Amino acid sequence: ANTRLINKFLPEPAPKTVHVPSGDVMDIFDAAERYKNEGASLVVLAGAEYGSGSSRDWAAKGPYLQGVKCVIAVSFERIHRSNLVGMGILPLQFYPGENADTLGLTGKEQLSIDLHGGNLSVGQDIVVRTHEGKEFHAKVRLDTAVELTYFKSGGILPYVLRKLAASH
């Protein structure tokens, strides 16, 4: 667990979070399990250079295994962004001058992300809506046609497995 993790739900850095909507403070792993049991998909709202210092592919496997489906960040560390795509996690980027704070997002919102029925394109603009009716635009950070293919397949491993199955 990362003891330096900054979570705006808590007064000091810790590998803990607050379960929404119960308000229970718990370890991130326990919260992820609880959300998984509740059938909730998770979205991370992040600051600048999300993933810095964590370019190994395992750093993207952790969020994947915890049920994260999307990360919306001010910016991404290049390799980590690519690793998120490889795990089937959608990287979205706030537009310049915007972040969770400027948009009034607390992280407690339920978000709806318009994926255009899966018809995504490289660098596409998409709309994110909160359950309260607030909406903002974000840029899809699938930067190449190959990344788009991997994401649509659910990540690189499902893509490779489908290709292997189709060839036999």
Side-chain angles (χ1 to χ4, degrees):
N2 185 345
T3 59
R4 296 176 296 156
L5 181 70
I6 297 172
N7 183 334
K8 289 190 175 185
F9 290 162
L10 301 171
E12 57 190 45
K16 294 191 176 289
T17 193
V18 175
H19 177 266
V20 177
S22 73
D24 296 340
V25 176
M26 59 183 63
D27 290 336
I28 289 174
F29 176 83
D30 294 333
E33 286 297 305
R34 188 164 171 183
Y35 286 124
K36 192 179 293 186
N37 291 337
E38 295 169 352
S41 297
L42 303 178
V43 175
V44 172
L45 298 176
E49 291 300 313
Y50 177 77
S52 289
S54 63
S55 61
R56 290 193 162 87
D57 64 343
W58 179 251
K61 289 176 187 164
Y64 169 80
L65 293 171
Q66 292 176 339
V68 173
K69 303 295 182 194
C70 176
V71 174
I72 309 174
V74 172
S75 62
F76 292 89
E77 190 279 331
R78 181 183 56 83
I79 295 171
H80 186 69
R81 184 203 55 78
S82 179
N83 288 338
L84 290 172
V85 174
M87 294 306 302
I89 297 174
L90 180 63
L92 297 179
Q93 190 163 338
F94 290 112
Y95 278 99
E98 295 183 341
N99 59 47
D101 291 335
T102 64
L103 294 169
L105 302 173
T106 66
K108 295 181 180 178
E109 298 85 2
Q110 292 178 356
L111 300 177
S112 173
I113 301 170
D114 182 3
L115 298 179
H116 301 276
N119 188 24
L120 295 174
S121 58
V122 171
Q124 181 175 353
D125 176 86
I126 62 170
V127 176
V128 180
R129 290 181 182 83
T130 71
H131 67 288
E132 299 160 334
K134 186 182 299 184
E135 69 177 46
F136 63 95
H137 291 252
K139 180 180 180 179
V140 173
R141 284 301 312 276
L142 301 171
D143 294 350
T144 67
V146 170
E147 286 185 346
L148 192 60
T149 300
Y150 290 163
F151 177 75
K152 287 181 177 181
S153 297
I156 193 168
L157 186 58
Y159 170 79
V160 170
L161 292 174
R162 282 189 192 100
K163 294 291 269 184
L164 287 171
S167 69
H168 289 356

